[in-house]
Amino acid sequence: MAEKKVVIVGGGVAGAILAKNIQNQANVTLIDPKEYFEIPWASLRGLVEPSFAERIVINHREYFKKGDLVVSSAANITETEVFTADGQQIAYDYLVIATGHTESIPKTRTERLDQYKGENAKIKSASSILIVGGGPTGVELAAEIAVDFPEKKVTIVHKGTRLLEYIGQKASSKTLKWLTSKKVDVKLEQSVDVRSSSEENTTYETSNGETVEADAHFLCIGKPLGSAWLGETLLKDDLDANGRIKVDENLRVKGRTNIFAIGDITDVEEIKQGVYASGHAQLVAKNLKLLIGGGKEPKLGTYKAQPPISIVSLGRKNAVAQFPFITVLGRLPGMIKSGDLFVGKTRKDLGLEPYDKKS
């Protein structure tokens, strides 16, 4: 019997873990516009410590050794094929969409590591730094800089009424207090046009008319969902108002038996973060193995939305954690996440050494 063809579109957390887990059960093709997988929740440590980036930027071929790797973007899909931007047509029996969010980053690992080194040089040479955005990315970057470079003046400008709006008020308040104790200036309910400065003029003006002096700035605002390409495909009516793919309890696109969606692209009502995307991938890996092996539909595994648990790292030793019944800031949640940022565990999940021997 011919080997079943599984096509995975997207090589982020969900797509990479799925590809690793099913490469021996099917003829798997992974389509991704870049040659590597990157551990997203650890990227901010890479900005203050470029050698750390060596462990978090992993060529797809290091963990995905058996299937086909297509370095391109998906452009269209039919009931039986995926069309790529570089003109390939790839047949599938099962399709998994894991395109998460779109981000303009380099194609090769070497270029990406060079980018980390460049951003690190920017931080080191600046005496004052502006961070635009007070979500988890902006907060974690501010904390990384404040801990590793306490002599630098760090300012966060955030348009929301509080930091970390995706989780509870307690976590926001504790985080604001911690950042203030590290001399980070937080300006809420304001925006800033970063184009208003130049190399000669390093003064930024906020929407409230306040001025911020900064030698460098980082944009830490939300990235767009990676679903725009689906708008002209057979799945155009399977997107909700936010552009997320509507899925059933088995993480299949609603009404379809052989197309799945996993990770941030889905309409599952839960906080969008890597640990849950990994859970999606593991469930769909089991479901695909069942279907490929001739298992019956009633035996498919089901996914339940996860409770709003989140840990935001605050430098190397501290973190703020929101659990269902308690919010904690300090060394205890820091021990869970902040030291290694789950990088060793993620590498092991991909079948790799926790520490990259080449770095």
Side-chain angles (χ1 to χ4, degrees):
M1 193 168 74
E3 204 173 22
K4 293 291 185 185
K5 297 182 179 71
V6 176
V7 174
I8 302 166
V9 182
V13 176
I17 288 174
L18 178 61
K20 161 72 174 69
N21 284 345
I22 63 160
Q23 60 186 324
N24 295 316
Q25 274 75 35
N27 179 347
V28 180
T29 300
L30 175 63
I31 301 172
D32 194 51
K34 58 191 187 333
E35 296 176 356
Y36 56 89
F37 160 68
E38 183 169 343
I39 303 173
W41 55 83
S43 62
L44 302 170
R45 180 68 51 80
L47 296 183
V48 298
E49 184 187 338
S51 61
F52 194 78
E54 296 271 348
R55 294 175 59 215
I56 68 174
V57 182
I58 300 161
N59 277 326
H60 289 309
R61 278 302 181 207
E62 285 192 55
Y63 67 88
F64 179 58
K65 297 180 177 178
K66 193 176 175 196
D68 295 321
L69 175 64
V70 175
V71 182
S72 182
S73 299
N76 196 6
I77 53 176
T78 68
E79 299 282 359
T80 56
E81 288 180 309
V82 177
F83 294 77
T84 63
D86 64 358
Q88 297 185 60
Q89 292 176 237
I90 302 158
Y92 70 85
D93 295 299
Y94 295 98
L95 172 63
V96 185
I97 299 169
T99 43
H101 291 85
T102 57
E103 187 176 8
S104 180
I105 55 176
K107 179 179 174 180
T108 71
R109 180 176 186 267
T110 300
E111 290 171 318
R112 183 60 169 147
L113 292 177
D114 286 344
Q115 194 174 55
Y116 273 106
K117 289 170 190 166
E119 299 285 77
N120 178 254
K122 186 167 98 171
I123 292 170
K124 282 186 170 175
S125 64
S127 59
S128 51
I129 296 165
L130 167 64
I131 294 171
V132 182
T137 304
V139 166
E140 289 197 351
L141 179 57
E144 291 285 345
I145 296 171
V147 167
D148 275 29
F149 303 100
E151 74 284 359
K152 298 184 188 299
K153 173 64 179 169
V154 179
T155 303
I156 296 176
V157 175
H158 181 54
K159 66 181 180 181
T161 57
R162 61 185 178 90
L163 299 171
L164 304 175
E165 289 157 300
Y166 76 108
I167 51 178
Q169 175 72 55
K170 250 184 197 174
S172 299
S173 301
K174 287 175 182 286
T175 301
L176 177 60
K177 187 175 177 183
W178 186 91
L179 286 168
T180 304
S181 77
K182 300 295 180 188
K183 299 185 171 56
V184 175
D185 186 10
V186 179
K187 298 182 185 298
L188 298 172
E189 297 185 76
Q190 299 185 56
S191 58
V192 63
D193 184 355
V194 294
R195 295 170 298 183
S196 63
S197 79
S198 64
E199 282 187 26
E200 299 78 34
N201 174 25
T202 57
T203 302
Y204 299 79
E205 186 172 340
T206 74
S207 54
N208 280 12
E210 293 187 48
T211 57
V212 178
E213 291 289 336
D215 303 324
H217 74 264
F218 290 89
L219 280 177
C220 296
I221 52 180
K223 300 164 193 163
L225 270 180
S227 62
W229 68 283
L230 293 167
E232 299 300 319
T233 73
L234 62 88
L235 297 184
K236 63 181 183 292
D237 296 326
D238 297 302
L239 304 175
D240 70 9
N242 298 313
R244 300 191 189 279
I245 301 174
K246 294 180 269 190
V247 293
D248 64 18
E249 61 182 3
N250 310 122
L251 296 180
R252 290 186 292 193
V253 178
K254 280 188 176 171
R256 299 187 179 272
T257 58
N258 68 332
I259 303 179
F260 293 80
I262 55 177
D264 290 358
I265 199 84
T266 69
D267 70 339
V268 177
E269 289 291 331
E270 64 188 3
I271 293 174
K272 302 299 181 183
Q273 50 187 17
V275 65
Y276 299 153
S278 173
H280 294 189
Q282 288 161 6
L283 178 81
V284 169
K286 286 179 185 173
N287 283 344
L288 284 170
K289 288 174 186 176
L290 179 82
L291 292 169
I292 289 165
K296 303 297 182 188
E297 294 242 344
K299 293 193 174 178
L300 287 173
T302 59
Y303 186 81
K304 287 187 177 149
Q306 299 300 299
I309 294 171
S310 185
I311 303 178
V312 177
S313 182
L314 299 173
R316 294 174 183 269
K317 293 182 179 176
N318 291 281
V320 60
Q322 175 180 284
F323 301 115
F325 302 107
I326 191 170
T327 299
V328 186
L329 185 149
R331 292 290 182 94
L332 183 60
M335 287 167 66
I336 299 172
K337 179 181 180 183
S338 302
D340 190 54
L341 299 171
F342 304 129
V343 171
K345 180 186 183 305
T346 306
R347 290 180 61 88
K348 282 170 77 175
D349 287 346
L350 290 171
L352 305 174
E353 291 288 331
Y355 289 88
D356 186 355
K357 291 174 182 174
K358 292 176 288 187
S359 63

